[in-house]
Amino acid sequence: MNASIPPAEAGHASIILITGATAGFGEATARRFAAEGWRVIITGRRRDRLEVLKRELEGLHGTIEGGTVVHALRFDVRNRQEVARAIAALPAEWSAIDVLVNNAGLALGLAAFPEGDPDDWDTMIDTNVKGLLYVSKAVVPGMVARGSGHLINIGSIAGKDAYAKGNVYCATKHAVDGLSKAMRIDLLPPGIKVTHVAPGAVETEFSRVRFHGDRERAEQAYAGFTPLTGKDVAVVVFFAATQPPHVCLNDIVVTPTAQANSTTIFRK
Ligand code: NDP
Ligand code: 8X3
């Protein structure tokens, strides 16, 4: 992977906004891009985590072009007004976002359809689908005006094939796949790239959130095989973001070696 374009080649440090950068591969992606000299906008709901990560990355990578290397924005992707206000209020030096990583998302519960909890369904649909739309709607007009930009939408292997008891989570990730295809068509004229990244099992806070804090159940999800890490996904996102202007990686499925598809994991 040596095709990366140093941000300096564009004449200024590129800016990336990552939703859900307080944990998991959003956080790993923020670390990776900051280390590569990008200016990084980290977002999420947990203000304390945003502040700690901002301080850490500034300590590690200092300032860039006389300004700070990290900007933190607290918002809930489900709240359309909050999203629009936060993006509109970005200081001028942070407003020309080159890459948007739509990563914030979650699964809640693992239940056959008749036993599913409609509150969990609402949260997954509001976060994984509507949240992605709201953030994109706030960021894309600037990209269109500048005639360049890149959306990297984090879907899932669960958006390629459904699995038992995954029903609504799988549906939201199928929606991310479908939206990525549709956005790619609509955003051809202004030259905006759209990449869909569909990871398999990655050990993050994902399963703890899914099982409402049950650590033992969460750990079982990764028993008997080596899952991906947040860093593994960050490598893929970085590779996609640093291709030359005429190259767009459309759809990337990345799984642990022990995983063939959404239903088949070889556990020792
Ligand atoms: P984590 O639980 O570790 O991180 C999720 C991130 O999303 C957190 O930063 C959280 O921040 C943020 N988030 C959740 N809800 C909201 C919200 N309403 N508003 C703003 N931010 C929100 O999970 P992962 O890193 O594993 O997951 C990241 C993405 O990858 C998700 O879209 C997930 O569906 C997808 N995915 C995960 C896989 C896995 O196996 N782990 C595999 C394939 C895809 P905060 O709580 O501070 O708001
Ligand atoms: C998250 C991983 O196993 O639910 O998308 O598909 S899984």
Side-chain angles (χ1 to χ4, degrees), residues 20 22-25 45-46 76-78 103-105 154-155 169 173 199-200 202 204-206:
T22 56
F25 38 92
R45 290 165 302 176
R46 286 171 285 182
D76 185 326
V77 297
R78 293 171 297 176
N103 164 74
I154 306 298
Y169 178 69
K173 290 302 182 176
V202 191
T204 60
E205 294 178 8
F206 176 84

mmCIF file with all atom_site columns, all heavy atoms in Angstrom, residues 20 22-25 45-46 76-78 103-105 154-155 169 173 199-200 202 204-206, ligand 1:
data_model
loop_
_atom_site.group_PDB
_atom_site.id
_atom_site.type_symbol
_atom_site.label_atom_id
_atom_site.label_alt_id
_atom_site.label_comp_id
_atom_site.label_asym_id
_atom_site.label_entity_id
_atom_site.label_seq_id
_atom_site.pdbx_PDB_ins_code
_atom_site.Cartn_x
_atom_site.Cartn_y
_atom_site.Cartn_z
_atom_site.occupancy
_atom_site.B_iso_or_equiv
_atom_site.pdbx_formal_charge
_atom_site.auth_seq_id
_atom_site.auth_comp_id
_atom_site.auth_asym_id
_atom_site.auth_atom_id
_atom_site.pdbx_PDB_model_num
ATOM   1   N N   . GLY A 1 20  ? -18.511 9.195  15.160 1.00 0.00 ? 20  GLY A N   1
ATOM   2   C CA  . GLY A 1 20  ? -18.253 8.048  16.036 1.00 0.00 ? 20  GLY A CA  1
ATOM   3   C C   . GLY A 1 20  ? -16.766 7.819  16.251 1.00 0.00 ? 20  GLY A C   1
ATOM   4   O O   . GLY A 1 20  ? -16.277 6.695  16.132 1.00 0.00 ? 20  GLY A O   1
ATOM   5   N N   . THR A 1 22  ? -15.244 8.374  19.128 1.00 0.00 ? 22  THR A N   1
ATOM   6   C CA  . THR A 1 22  ? -14.947 8.210  20.556 1.00 0.00 ? 22  THR A CA  1
ATOM   7   C C   . THR A 1 22  ? -14.624 6.767  20.923 1.00 0.00 ? 22  THR A C   1
ATOM   8   O O   . THR A 1 22  ? -14.343 6.474  22.080 1.00 0.00 ? 22  THR A O   1
ATOM   9   C CB  . THR A 1 22  ? -16.151 8.668  21.411 1.00 0.00 ? 22  THR A CB  1
ATOM   10  O OG1 . THR A 1 22  ? -17.296 7.917  20.988 1.00 0.00 ? 22  THR A OG1 1
ATOM   11  C CG2 . THR A 1 22  ? -16.421 10.154 21.267 1.00 0.00 ? 22  THR A CG2 1
ATOM   12  N N   . ALA A 1 23  ? -14.701 5.850  19.973 1.00 0.00 ? 23  ALA A N   1
ATOM   13  C CA  . ALA A 1 23  ? -14.470 4.436  20.277 1.00 0.00 ? 23  ALA A CA  1
ATOM   14  C C   . ALA A 1 23  ? -14.221 3.696  18.970 1.00 0.00 ? 23  ALA A C   1
ATOM   15  O O   . ALA A 1 23  ? -14.381 4.253  17.877 1.00 0.00 ? 23  ALA A O   1
ATOM   16  C CB  . ALA A 1 23  ? -15.691 3.829  20.983 1.00 0.00 ? 23  ALA A CB  1
ATOM   17  N N   . GLY A 1 24  ? -13.814 2.431  19.118 1.00 0.00 ? 24  GLY A N   1
ATOM   18  C CA  . GLY A 1 24  ? -13.778 1.502  17.990 1.00 0.00 ? 24  GLY A CA  1
ATOM   19  C C   . GLY A 1 24  ? -12.973 1.988  16.808 1.00 0.00 ? 24  GLY A C   1
ATOM   20  O O   . GLY A 1 24  ? -11.955 2.642  16.940 1.00 0.00 ? 24  GLY A O   1
ATOM   21  N N   . PHE A 1 25  ? -13.472 1.686  15.593 1.00 0.00 ? 25  PHE A N   1
ATOM   22  C CA  . PHE A 1 25  ? -12.630 2.044  14.463 1.00 0.00 ? 25  PHE A CA  1
ATOM   23  C C   . PHE A 1 25  ? -12.758 3.491  14.036 1.00 0.00 ? 25  PHE A C   1
ATOM   24  O O   . PHE A 1 25  ? -11.896 3.991  13.316 1.00 0.00 ? 25  PHE A O   1
ATOM   25  C CB  . PHE A 1 25  ? -12.655 1.070  13.295 1.00 0.00 ? 25  PHE A CB  1
ATOM   26  C CG  . PHE A 1 25  ? -13.913 0.421  12.909 1.00 0.00 ? 25  PHE A CG  1
ATOM   27  C CD1 . PHE A 1 25  ? -14.713 0.994  11.961 1.00 0.00 ? 25  PHE A CD1 1
ATOM   28  C CD2 . PHE A 1 25  ? -14.262 -0.810 13.432 1.00 0.00 ? 25  PHE A CD2 1
ATOM   29  C CE1 . PHE A 1 25  ? -15.850 0.362  11.535 1.00 0.00 ? 25  PHE A CE1 1
ATOM   30  C CE2 . PHE A 1 25  ? -15.415 -1.438 13.024 1.00 0.00 ? 25  PHE A CE2 1
ATOM   31  C CZ  . PHE A 1 25  ? -16.213 -0.849 12.072 1.00 0.00 ? 25  PHE A CZ  1
ATOM   32  N N   . ARG A 1 45  ? -20.992 11.487 20.850 1.00 0.00 ? 45  ARG A N   1
ATOM   33  C CA  . ARG A 1 45  ? -21.813 12.083 21.905 1.00 0.00 ? 45  ARG A CA  1
ATOM   34  C C   . ARG A 1 45  ? -21.050 12.254 23.208 1.00 0.00 ? 45  ARG A C   1
ATOM   35  O O   . ARG A 1 45  ? -21.363 13.110 24.009 1.00 0.00 ? 45  ARG A O   1
ATOM   36  C CB  . ARG A 1 45  ? -23.043 11.198 22.175 1.00 0.00 ? 45  ARG A CB  1
ATOM   37  C CG  . ARG A 1 45  ? -24.067 11.185 21.063 1.00 0.00 ? 45  ARG A CG  1
ATOM   38  C CD  . ARG A 1 45  ? -25.038 10.036 21.240 1.00 0.00 ? 45  ARG A CD  1
ATOM   39  N NE  . ARG A 1 45  ? -24.324 8.764  21.274 1.00 0.00 ? 45  ARG A NE  1
ATOM   40  C CZ  . ARG A 1 45  ? -24.876 7.587  21.485 1.00 0.00 ? 45  ARG A CZ  1
ATOM   41  N NH1 . ARG A 1 45  ? -26.164 7.508  21.725 1.00 0.00 ? 45  ARG A NH1 1
ATOM   42  N NH2 . ARG A 1 45  ? -24.141 6.482  21.480 1.00 0.00 ? 45  ARG A NH2 1
ATOM   43  N N   . ARG A 1 46  ? -20.012 11.421 23.428 1.00 0.00 ? 46  ARG A N   1
ATOM   44  C CA  . ARG A 1 46  ? -19.317 11.460 24.729 1.00 0.00 ? 46  ARG A CA  1
ATOM   45  C C   . ARG A 1 46  ? -18.230 12.533 24.731 1.00 0.00 ? 46  ARG A C   1
ATOM   46  O O   . ARG A 1 46  ? -17.114 12.314 24.271 1.00 0.00 ? 46  ARG A O   1
ATOM   47  C CB  . ARG A 1 46  ? -18.763 10.070 25.050 1.00 0.00 ? 46  ARG A CB  1
ATOM   48  C CG  . ARG A 1 46  ? -19.862 9.099  25.463 1.00 0.00 ? 46  ARG A CG  1
ATOM   49  C CD  . ARG A 1 46  ? -19.388 7.692  25.579 1.00 0.00 ? 46  ARG A CD  1
ATOM   50  N NE  . ARG A 1 46  ? -19.166 7.049  24.298 1.00 0.00 ? 46  ARG A NE  1
ATOM   51  C CZ  . ARG A 1 46  ? -18.788 5.783  24.143 1.00 0.00 ? 46  ARG A CZ  1
ATOM   52  N NH1 . ARG A 1 46  ? -18.582 5.029  25.200 1.00 0.00 ? 46  ARG A NH1 1
ATOM   53  N NH2 . ARG A 1 46  ? -18.609 5.276  22.940 1.00 0.00 ? 46  ARG A NH2 1
ATOM   54  N N   . ASP A 1 76  ? -25.261 14.360 18.349 1.00 0.00 ? 76  ASP A N   1
ATOM   55  C CA  . ASP A 1 76  ? -25.920 13.070 18.190 1.00 0.00 ? 76  ASP A CA  1
ATOM   56  C C   . ASP A 1 76  ? -26.384 12.998 16.735 1.00 0.00 ? 76  ASP A C   1
ATOM   57  O O   . ASP A 1 76  ? -27.173 13.851 16.298 1.00 0.00 ? 76  ASP A O   1
ATOM   58  C CB  . ASP A 1 76  ? -27.117 13.005 19.163 1.00 0.00 ? 76  ASP A CB  1
ATOM   59  C CG  . ASP A 1 76  ? -27.793 11.638 19.165 1.00 0.00 ? 76  ASP A CG  1
ATOM   60  O OD1 . ASP A 1 76  ? -27.839 10.983 18.101 1.00 0.00 ? 76  ASP A OD1 1
ATOM   61  O OD2 . ASP A 1 76  ? -28.288 11.245 20.234 1.00 0.00 ? 76  ASP A OD2 1
ATOM   62  N N   . VAL A 1 77  ? -25.897 12.007 15.986 1.00 0.00 ? 77  VAL A N   1
ATOM   63  C CA  . VAL A 1 77  ? -26.226 11.964 14.555 1.00 0.00 ? 77  VAL A CA  1
ATOM   64  C C   . VAL A 1 77  ? -27.728 11.817 14.304 1.00 0.00 ? 77  VAL A C   1
ATOM   65  O O   . VAL A 1 77  ? -28.208 12.085 13.205 1.00 0.00 ? 77  VAL A O   1
ATOM   66  C CB  . VAL A 1 77  ? -25.466 10.837 13.799 1.00 0.00 ? 77  VAL A CB  1
ATOM   67  C CG1 . VAL A 1 77  ? -23.965 11.061 13.842 1.00 0.00 ? 77  VAL A CG1 1
ATOM   68  C CG2 . VAL A 1 77  ? -25.835 9.452  14.321 1.00 0.00 ? 77  VAL A CG2 1
ATOM   69  N N   . ARG A 1 78  ? -28.476 11.411 15.335 1.00 0.00 ? 78  ARG A N   1
ATOM   70  C CA  . ARG A 1 78  ? -29.931 11.216 15.154 1.00 0.00 ? 78  ARG A CA  1
ATOM   71  C C   . ARG A 1 78  ? -30.695 12.527 15.178 1.00 0.00 ? 78  ARG A C   1
ATOM   72  O O   . ARG A 1 78  ? -31.872 12.558 14.824 1.00 0.00 ? 78  ARG A O   1
ATOM   73  C CB  . ARG A 1 78  ? -30.479 10.315 16.267 1.00 0.00 ? 78  ARG A CB  1
ATOM   74  C CG  . ARG A 1 78  ? -29.980 8.895  16.196 1.00 0.00 ? 78  ARG A CG  1
ATOM   75  C CD  . ARG A 1 78  ? -30.371 8.125  17.444 1.00 0.00 ? 78  ARG A CD  1
ATOM   76  N NE  . ARG A 1 78  ? -29.757 8.691  18.637 1.00 0.00 ? 78  ARG A NE  1
ATOM   77  C CZ  . ARG A 1 78  ? -29.983 8.283  19.871 1.00 0.00 ? 78  ARG A CZ  1
ATOM   78  N NH1 . ARG A 1 78  ? -30.840 7.299  20.086 1.00 0.00 ? 78  ARG A NH1 1
ATOM   79  N NH2 . ARG A 1 78  ? -29.364 8.831  20.894 1.00 0.00 ? 78  ARG A NH2 1
ATOM   80  N N   . ASN A 1 103 ? -19.315 6.781  10.090 1.00 0.00 ? 103 ASN A N   1
ATOM   81  C CA  . ASN A 1 103 ? -18.984 5.567  10.830 1.00 0.00 ? 103 ASN A CA  1
ATOM   82  C C   . ASN A 1 103 ? -19.895 5.325  12.037 1.00 0.00 ? 103 ASN A C   1
ATOM   83  O O   . ASN A 1 103 ? -20.143 4.180  12.405 1.00 0.00 ? 103 ASN A O   1
ATOM   84  C CB  . ASN A 1 103 ? -17.512 5.686  11.296 1.00 0.00 ? 103 ASN A CB  1
ATOM   85  C CG  . ASN A 1 103 ? -17.166 4.702  12.376 1.00 0.00 ? 103 ASN A CG  1
ATOM   86  O OD1 . ASN A 1 103 ? -17.016 3.511  12.119 1.00 0.00 ? 103 ASN A OD1 1
ATOM   87  N ND2 . ASN A 1 103 ? -17.043 5.185  13.616 1.00 0.00 ? 103 ASN A ND2 1
ATOM   88  N N   . ALA A 1 104 ? -20.438 6.402  12.628 1.00 0.00 ? 104 ALA A N   1
ATOM   89  C CA  . ALA A 1 104 ? -21.239 6.238  13.849 1.00 0.00 ? 104 ALA A CA  1
ATOM   90  C C   . ALA A 1 104 ? -22.357 5.231  13.589 1.00 0.00 ? 104 ALA A C   1
ATOM   91  O O   . ALA A 1 104 ? -23.072 5.329  12.596 1.00 0.00 ? 104 ALA A O   1
ATOM   92  C CB  . ALA A 1 104 ? -21.836 7.580  14.274 1.00 0.00 ? 104 ALA A CB  1
ATOM   93  N N   . GLY A 1 105 ? -22.483 4.278  14.480 1.00 0.00 ? 105 GLY A N   1
ATOM   94  C CA  . GLY A 1 105 ? -23.532 3.280  14.272 1.00 0.00 ? 105 GLY A CA  1
ATOM   95  C C   . GLY A 1 105 ? -23.507 2.250  15.369 1.00 0.00 ? 105 GLY A C   1
ATOM   96  O O   . GLY A 1 105 ? -22.612 2.230  16.220 1.00 0.00 ? 105 GLY A O   1
ATOM   97  N N   . ILE A 1 154 ? -19.399 3.546  6.317  1.00 0.00 ? 154 ILE A N   1
ATOM   98  C CA  . ILE A 1 154 ? -19.098 2.263  6.962  1.00 0.00 ? 154 ILE A CA  1
ATOM   99  C C   . ILE A 1 154 ? -20.382 1.437  7.050  1.00 0.00 ? 154 ILE A C   1
ATOM   100 O O   . ILE A 1 154 ? -21.296 1.754  7.823  1.00 0.00 ? 154 ILE A O   1
ATOM   101 C CB  . ILE A 1 154 ? -18.485 2.464  8.368  1.00 0.00 ? 154 ILE A CB  1
ATOM   102 C CG1 . ILE A 1 154 ? -17.251 3.376  8.316  1.00 0.00 ? 154 ILE A CG1 1
ATOM   103 C CG2 . ILE A 1 154 ? -18.146 1.097  8.976  1.00 0.00 ? 154 ILE A CG2 1
ATOM   104 C CD1 . ILE A 1 154 ? -16.077 2.881  7.497  1.00 0.00 ? 154 ILE A CD1 1
ATOM   105 N N   . GLY A 1 155 ? -20.440 0.420  6.218  1.00 0.00 ? 155 GLY A N   1
ATOM   106 C CA  . GLY A 1 155 ? -21.556 -0.522 6.266  1.00 0.00 ? 155 GLY A CA  1
ATOM   107 C C   . GLY A 1 155 ? -21.147 -1.711 7.105  1.00 0.00 ? 155 GLY A C   1
ATOM   108 O O   . GLY A 1 155 ? -20.603 -1.555 8.204  1.00 0.00 ? 155 GLY A O   1
ATOM   109 N N   . TYR A 1 169 ? -30.784 -4.757 12.214 1.00 0.00 ? 169 TYR A N   1
ATOM   110 C CA  . TYR A 1 169 ? -29.406 -4.292 12.024 1.00 0.00 ? 169 TYR A CA  1
ATOM   111 C C   . TYR A 1 169 ? -28.966 -4.582 10.583 1.00 0.00 ? 169 TYR A C   1
ATOM   112 O O   . TYR A 1 169 ? -28.418 -3.710 9.903  1.00 0.00 ? 169 TYR A O   1
ATOM   113 C CB  . TYR A 1 169 ? -28.446 -4.961 13.027 1.00 0.00 ? 169 TYR A CB  1
ATOM   114 C CG  . TYR A 1 169 ? -27.011 -4.511 12.809 1.00 0.00 ? 169 TYR A CG  1
ATOM   115 C CD1 . TYR A 1 169 ? -26.618 -3.205 13.099 1.00 0.00 ? 169 TYR A CD1 1
ATOM   116 C CD2 . TYR A 1 169 ? -26.054 -5.383 12.291 1.00 0.00 ? 169 TYR A CD2 1
ATOM   117 C CE1 . TYR A 1 169 ? -25.314 -2.778 12.870 1.00 0.00 ? 169 TYR A CE1 1
ATOM   118 C CE2 . TYR A 1 169 ? -24.748 -4.965 12.065 1.00 0.00 ? 169 TYR A CE2 1
ATOM   119 C CZ  . TYR A 1 169 ? -24.385 -3.662 12.363 1.00 0.00 ? 169 TYR A CZ  1
ATOM   120 O OH  . TYR A 1 169 ? -23.099 -3.230 12.129 1.00 0.00 ? 169 TYR A OH  1
ATOM   121 N N   . LYS A 1 173 ? -27.824 -1.915 7.498  1.00 0.00 ? 173 LYS A N   1
ATOM   122 C CA  . LYS A 1 173 ? -26.535 -1.967 6.796  1.00 0.00 ? 173 LYS A CA  1
ATOM   123 C C   . LYS A 1 173 ? -26.743 -2.264 5.295  1.00 0.00 ? 173 LYS A C   1
ATOM   124 O O   . LYS A 1 173 ? -25.943 -1.816 4.469  1.00 0.00 ? 173 LYS A O   1
ATOM   125 C CB  . LYS A 1 173 ? -25.598 -2.971 7.469  1.00 0.00 ? 173 LYS A CB  1
ATOM   126 C CG  . LYS A 1 173 ? -25.125 -2.488 8.853  1.00 0.00 ? 173 LYS A CG  1
ATOM   127 C CD  . LYS A 1 173 ? -24.403 -1.141 8.766  1.00 0.00 ? 173 LYS A CD  1
ATOM   128 C CE  . LYS A 1 173 ? -23.876 -0.640 10.092 1.00 0.00 ? 173 LYS A CE  1
ATOM   129 N NZ  . LYS A 1 173 ? -23.105 0.620  9.995  1.00 0.00 ? 173 LYS A NZ  1
ATOM   130 N N   . PRO A 1 199 ? -17.023 -4.123 6.842  1.00 0.00 ? 199 PRO A N   1
ATOM   131 C CA  . PRO A 1 199 ? -16.189 -5.030 7.628  1.00 0.00 ? 199 PRO A CA  1
ATOM   132 C C   . PRO A 1 199 ? -16.989 -6.212 8.185  1.00 0.00 ? 199 PRO A C   1
ATOM   133 O O   . PRO A 1 199 ? -18.193 -6.124 8.421  1.00 0.00 ? 199 PRO A O   1
ATOM   134 C CB  . PRO A 1 199 ? -15.683 -4.155 8.794  1.00 0.00 ? 199 PRO A CB  1
ATOM   135 C CG  . PRO A 1 199 ? -16.087 -2.742 8.466  1.00 0.00 ? 199 PRO A CG  1
ATOM   136 C CD  . PRO A 1 199 ? -17.278 -2.864 7.568  1.00 0.00 ? 199 PRO A CD  1
ATOM   137 N N   . GLY A 1 200 ? -16.255 -7.311 8.421  1.00 0.00 ? 200 GLY A N   1
ATOM   138 C CA  . GLY A 1 200 ? -16.812 -8.436 9.178  1.00 0.00 ? 200 GLY A CA  1
ATOM   139 C C   . GLY A 1 200 ? -16.593 -8.163 10.658 1.00 0.00 ? 200 GLY A C   1
ATOM   140 O O   . GLY A 1 200 ? -16.659 -7.008 11.093 1.00 0.00 ? 200 GLY A O   1
ATOM   141 N N   . VAL A 1 202 ? -15.218 -7.184 14.023 1.00 0.00 ? 202 VAL A N   1
ATOM   142 C CA  . VAL A 1 202 ? -14.139 -6.329 14.539 1.00 0.00 ? 202 VAL A CA  1
ATOM   143 C C   . VAL A 1 202 ? -14.346 -6.208 16.046 1.00 0.00 ? 202 VAL A C   1
ATOM   144 O O   . VAL A 1 202 ? -15.446 -5.850 16.485 1.00 0.00 ? 202 VAL A O   1
ATOM   145 C CB  . VAL A 1 202 ? -14.192 -4.906 13.933 1.00 0.00 ? 202 VAL A CB  1
ATOM   146 C CG1 . VAL A 1 202 ? -12.922 -4.137 14.263 1.00 0.00 ? 202 VAL A CG1 1
ATOM   147 C CG2 . VAL A 1 202 ? -14.441 -4.946 12.428 1.00 0.00 ? 202 VAL A CG2 1
ATOM   148 N N   . THR A 1 204 ? -14.465 -4.363 19.126 1.00 0.00 ? 204 THR A N   1
ATOM   149 C CA  . THR A 1 204 ? -14.549 -2.962 19.589 1.00 0.00 ? 204 THR A CA  1
ATOM   150 C C   . THR A 1 204 ? -15.573 -2.955 20.732 1.00 0.00 ? 204 THR A C   1
ATOM   151 O O   . THR A 1 204 ? -15.837 -3.994 21.325 1.00 0.00 ? 204 THR A O   1
ATOM   152 C CB  . THR A 1 204 ? -15.071 -2.051 18.444 1.00 0.00 ? 204 THR A CB  1
ATOM   153 O OG1 . THR A 1 204 ? -16.366 -2.529 18.075 1.00 0.00 ? 204 THR A OG1 1
ATOM   154 C CG2 . THR A 1 204 ? -14.146 -2.066 17.238 1.00 0.00 ? 204 THR A CG2 1
ATOM   155 N N   . GLU A 1 205 ? -16.198 -1.824 20.970 1.00 0.00 ? 205 GLU A N   1
ATOM   156 C CA  . GLU A 1 205 ? -17.276 -1.789 21.976 1.00 0.00 ? 205 GLU A CA  1
ATOM   157 C C   . GLU A 1 205 ? -18.602 -2.260 21.372 1.00 0.00 ? 205 GLU A C   1
ATOM   158 O O   . GLU A 1 205 ? -19.628 -2.290 22.043 1.00 0.00 ? 205 GLU A O   1
ATOM   159 C CB  . GLU A 1 205 ? -17.436 -0.362 22.517 1.00 0.00 ? 205 GLU A CB  1
ATOM   160 C CG  . GLU A 1 205 ? -16.220 0.092  23.305 1.00 0.00 ? 205 GLU A CG  1
ATOM   161 C CD  . GLU A 1 205 ? -16.328 1.524  23.818 1.00 0.00 ? 205 GLU A CD  1
ATOM   162 O OE1 . GLU A 1 205 ? -17.411 2.132  23.701 1.00 0.00 ? 205 GLU A OE1 1
ATOM   163 O OE2 . GLU A 1 205 ? -15.321 2.026  24.326 1.00 0.00 ? 205 GLU A OE2 1
ATOM   164 N N   . PHE A 1 206 ? -18.587 -2.601 20.072 1.00 0.00 ? 206 PHE A N   1
ATOM   165 C CA  . PHE A 1 206 ? -19.798 -2.930 19.331 1.00 0.00 ? 206 PHE A CA  1
ATOM   166 C C   . PHE A 1 206 ? -20.663 -3.989 20.037 1.00 0.00 ? 206 PHE A C   1
ATOM   167 O O   . PHE A 1 206 ? -21.870 -3.804 20.237 1.00 0.00 ? 206 PHE A O   1
ATOM   168 C CB  . PHE A 1 206 ? -19.399 -3.404 17.928 1.00 0.00 ? 206 PHE A CB  1
ATOM   169 C CG  . PHE A 1 206 ? -20.533 -3.869 17.068 1.00 0.00 ? 206 PHE A CG  1
ATOM   170 C CD1 . PHE A 1 206 ? -21.289 -2.969 16.333 1.00 0.00 ? 206 PHE A CD1 1
ATOM   171 C CD2 . PHE A 1 206 ? -20.850 -5.223 16.979 1.00 0.00 ? 206 PHE A CD2 1
ATOM   172 C CE1 . PHE A 1 206 ? -22.341 -3.395 15.531 1.00 0.00 ? 206 PHE A CE1 1
ATOM   173 C CE2 . PHE A 1 206 ? -21.895 -5.665 16.182 1.00 0.00 ? 206 PHE A CE2 1
ATOM   174 C CZ  . PHE A 1 206 ? -22.639 -4.753 15.462 1.00 0.00 ? 206 PHE A CZ  1
HETATM 175 P P1  . NDP B 2 .   ? -18.153 1.149  18.798 1.00 0.00 ? 1   NDP B P1  1
HETATM 176 O O1  . NDP B 2 .   ? -19.339 0.877  19.651 1.00 0.00 ? 1   NDP B O1  1
HETATM 177 O O2  . NDP B 2 .   ? -16.807 0.826  19.334 1.00 0.00 ? 1   NDP B O2  1
HETATM 178 O O3  . NDP B 2 .   ? -18.163 2.692  18.329 1.00 0.00 ? 1   NDP B O3  1
HETATM 179 C C1  . NDP B 2 .   ? -19.348 3.271  17.856 1.00 0.00 ? 1   NDP B C1  1
HETATM 180 C C2  . NDP B 2 .   ? -19.163 4.770  17.703 1.00 0.00 ? 1   NDP B C2  1
HETATM 181 O O4  . NDP B 2 .   ? -20.383 5.322  17.181 1.00 0.00 ? 1   NDP B O4  1
HETATM 182 C C3  . NDP B 2 .   ? -18.865 5.461  19.004 1.00 0.00 ? 1   NDP B C3  1
HETATM 183 O O5  . NDP B 2 .   ? -17.857 6.432  18.805 1.00 0.00 ? 1   NDP B O5  1
HETATM 184 C C4  . NDP B 2 .   ? -20.181 6.149  19.369 1.00 0.00 ? 1   NDP B C4  1
HETATM 185 O O6  . NDP B 2 .   ? -19.912 7.376  20.039 1.00 0.00 ? 1   NDP B O6  1
HETATM 186 C C5  . NDP B 2 .   ? -20.747 6.440  17.967 1.00 0.00 ? 1   NDP B C5  1
HETATM 187 N N1  . NDP B 2 .   ? -22.193 6.619  18.009 1.00 0.00 ? 1   NDP B N1  1
HETATM 188 C C6  . NDP B 2 .   ? -23.145 5.699  18.285 1.00 0.00 ? 1   NDP B C6  1
HETATM 189 N N2  . NDP B 2 .   ? -24.360 6.252  18.282 1.00 0.00 ? 1   NDP B N2  1
HETATM 190 C C7  . NDP B 2 .   ? -24.179 7.568  18.001 1.00 0.00 ? 1   NDP B C7  1
HETATM 191 C C8  . NDP B 2 .   ? -25.055 8.680  17.863 1.00 0.00 ? 1   NDP B C8  1
HETATM 192 N N3  . NDP B 2 .   ? -26.381 8.550  18.027 1.00 0.00 ? 1   NDP B N3  1
HETATM 193 N N4  . NDP B 2 .   ? -24.530 9.895  17.574 1.00 0.00 ? 1   NDP B N4  1
HETATM 194 C C9  . NDP B 2 .   ? -23.202 10.037 17.419 1.00 0.00 ? 1   NDP B C9  1
HETATM 195 N N5  . NDP B 2 .   ? -22.320 9.032  17.534 1.00 0.00 ? 1   NDP B N5  1
HETATM 196 C C10 . NDP B 2 .   ? -22.813 7.805  17.823 1.00 0.00 ? 1   NDP B C10 1
HETATM 197 O O7  . NDP B 2 .   ? -18.429 0.349  17.431 1.00 0.00 ? 1   NDP B O7  1
HETATM 198 P P2  . NDP B 2 .   ? -17.536 0.081  16.124 1.00 0.00 ? 1   NDP B P2  1
HETATM 199 O O8  . NDP B 2 .   ? -16.344 0.942  16.073 1.00 0.00 ? 1   NDP B O8  1
HETATM 200 O O9  . NDP B 2 .   ? -17.367 -1.376 16.007 1.00 0.00 ? 1   NDP B O9  1
HETATM 201 O O10 . NDP B 2 .   ? -18.585 0.498  15.015 1.00 0.00 ? 1   NDP B O10 1
HETATM 202 C C11 . NDP B 2 .   ? -18.407 1.572  14.115 1.00 0.00 ? 1   NDP B C11 1
HETATM 203 C C12 . NDP B 2 .   ? -19.277 1.312  12.902 1.00 0.00 ? 1   NDP B C12 1
HETATM 204 O O11 . NDP B 2 .   ? -18.877 0.096  12.288 1.00 0.00 ? 1   NDP B O11 1
HETATM 205 C C13 . NDP B 2 .   ? -20.767 1.140  13.184 1.00 0.00 ? 1   NDP B C13 1
HETATM 206 O O12 . NDP B 2 .   ? -21.494 1.764  12.145 1.00 0.00 ? 1   NDP B O12 1
HETATM 207 C C14 . NDP B 2 .   ? -20.976 -0.379 13.144 1.00 0.00 ? 1   NDP B C14 1
HETATM 208 O O13 . NDP B 2 .   ? -22.284 -0.718 12.784 1.00 0.00 ? 1   NDP B O13 1
HETATM 209 C C15 . NDP B 2 .   ? -19.998 -0.756 12.068 1.00 0.00 ? 1   NDP B C15 1
HETATM 210 N N6  . NDP B 2 .   ? -19.497 -2.119 12.055 1.00 0.00 ? 1   NDP B N6  1
HETATM 211 C C16 . NDP B 2 .   ? -18.970 -2.707 13.173 1.00 0.00 ? 1   NDP B C16 1
HETATM 212 C C17 . NDP B 2 .   ? -18.449 -3.989 13.090 1.00 0.00 ? 1   NDP B C17 1
HETATM 213 C C18 . NDP B 2 .   ? -17.894 -4.707 14.272 1.00 0.00 ? 1   NDP B C18 1
HETATM 214 O O14 . NDP B 2 .   ? -17.824 -5.938 14.248 1.00 0.00 ? 1   NDP B O14 1
HETATM 215 N N7  . NDP B 2 .   ? -17.467 -4.030 15.323 1.00 0.00 ? 1   NDP B N7  1
HETATM 216 C C19 . NDP B 2 .   ? -18.424 -4.721 11.824 1.00 0.00 ? 1   NDP B C19 1
HETATM 217 C C20 . NDP B 2 .   ? -18.993 -3.995 10.706 1.00 0.00 ? 1   NDP B C20 1
HETATM 218 C C21 . NDP B 2 .   ? -19.480 -2.748 10.829 1.00 0.00 ? 1   NDP B C21 1
HETATM 219 P P3  . NDP B 2 .   ? -20.732 7.963  21.277 1.00 0.00 ? 1   NDP B P3  1
HETATM 220 O O15 . NDP B 2 .   ? -21.280 6.800  22.055 1.00 0.00 ? 1   NDP B O15 1
HETATM 221 O O16 . NDP B 2 .   ? -19.712 8.782  22.023 1.00 0.00 ? 1   NDP B O16 1
HETATM 222 O O17 . NDP B 2 .   ? -21.774 8.805  20.642 1.00 0.00 ? 1   NDP B O17 1
#
